[in-house]
Amino acid sequence: MIRGFSTRPRTSYFIASVAAVAWFFPVQAQAPVPAAPAAATTPSDAEIERFLLAAKPIKSRAAPKGVTNSIRATFSDGTLTHDAQIQTVEESRQMAPKPGGMELNFRDSWSFNIAAYRLDRLIGLNLVPVSVEGRWQSKRAAITWWVDDVMMDEGERLKKKAQPPRPAEWAEIMNLVRIFDQLIYNMDRNQGNLLITQDWRIWAIDHTRAFRLHRDLKDPENVARCDRQMFEKLKQLDSETLKREMEDYLNQWEREAILARRDLIVEIIEKRGPGALFDRRDAHN
């Protein structure tokens, strides 16, 4: 079974961000769900990027339940055939409604999916699917690898009261997702865009409404514990690296805001002391 990125409303799936905090709740005390057999080996990031850049679409259809005209397309390079999600949305407004008020400098952009993927890899998170720039019907687009073997999203897991087979590892990963959302000022994380594959790997998808210009943290209380290696990579982020990796997808002010939020995240973790750091047990990383 192949499932992927969600498009608005955020209860559907896509690969390429408020009922907001519901997914932060602790895992419910239910009987553990047996771990499924490991999924087939996934190509490396570099291999996926080459495929998405070189392969040709052989069929396409509208992604279900979306309002941003997202497309699910099947690509082939003559050897490999795989689906991808194509998104061309580019909308900017001075003000837009958000839960509880209005958002200034609203932007919904395909480019943020690529920026999220690149930033994810810079800090060693490895939870965002590969996304590259391409063109679709003469428009610039994010072309994102479709997540294979999805068994449920976080909303479904909570509804079913399904407990992951490795709760401590799950809690660690959720802490990292929350930190990432603070780093990118994600306005649109919800239960539907955290996908869970058959081997209980989490994929964080849909970041077209992230990378706001705010230099504070959206929810600083969500910064609690961090993987030691990811923390070191966070501290090593600098303006030159972000410019080199993201100049085509984030402007100067968006990149500077990342570093300002990074500084606040580092400050919170350091104030919490050594107990705020852990060595990640995720078998996928």
Side-chain angles (χ1 to χ4, degrees), residues 1-5 12-15 39 129 145-154 156 160 192 194-203 205:
M1 173 177 172
I2 296 177
R3 294 169 71 182
F5 283 82
S12 57
Y13 303 99
F14 76 89
I15 188 165
W145 184 259
W146 199 269
V147 175
D148 294 320
D149 301 320
V150 173
M151 63 176 175
M152 68 180 104
D153 62 33
E154 177 65 352
E156 293 170 331
K160 295 174 181 177
L194 284 177
L195 304 184
I196 306 166
T197 54
Q198 296 288 342
D199 57 353
W200 283 90
R201 180 170 185 171
I202 299 173
W203 288 100
I205 64 171

Side-chain angles (χ1 to χ4, degrees), residues 123-142:
I123 63 174
L125 184 59
N126 297 320
L127 298 182
V128 176
V130 176
S131 188
V132 303
E133 180 180 351
R135 299 194 74 84
W136 186 258
Q137 296 179 346
S138 76
K139 295 180 180 178
R140 295 175 75 189

Side-chain angles (χ1 to χ4, degrees), residues 5-14 17 63-68 188 190 192-193 206 209:
F5 283 82
S6 67
T7 52
R8 253 67 66 183
R10 295 304 198 226
T11 54
S12 57
Y13 303 99
F14 76 89
S17 291
K65 300 182 181 180
V67 297
T68 57
D188 206 17
N190 62 70
N193 54 39
D206 194 355
R209 294 184 178 180

Side-chain angles (χ1 to χ4, degrees), residues 33 36 40 56 66 88 123 126 159 168 183 229 257:
V33 176
K56 304 298 182 184
T88 60
I123 63 174
N126 297 320
K159 184 176 180 180
L183 182 66
Q229 292 186 13

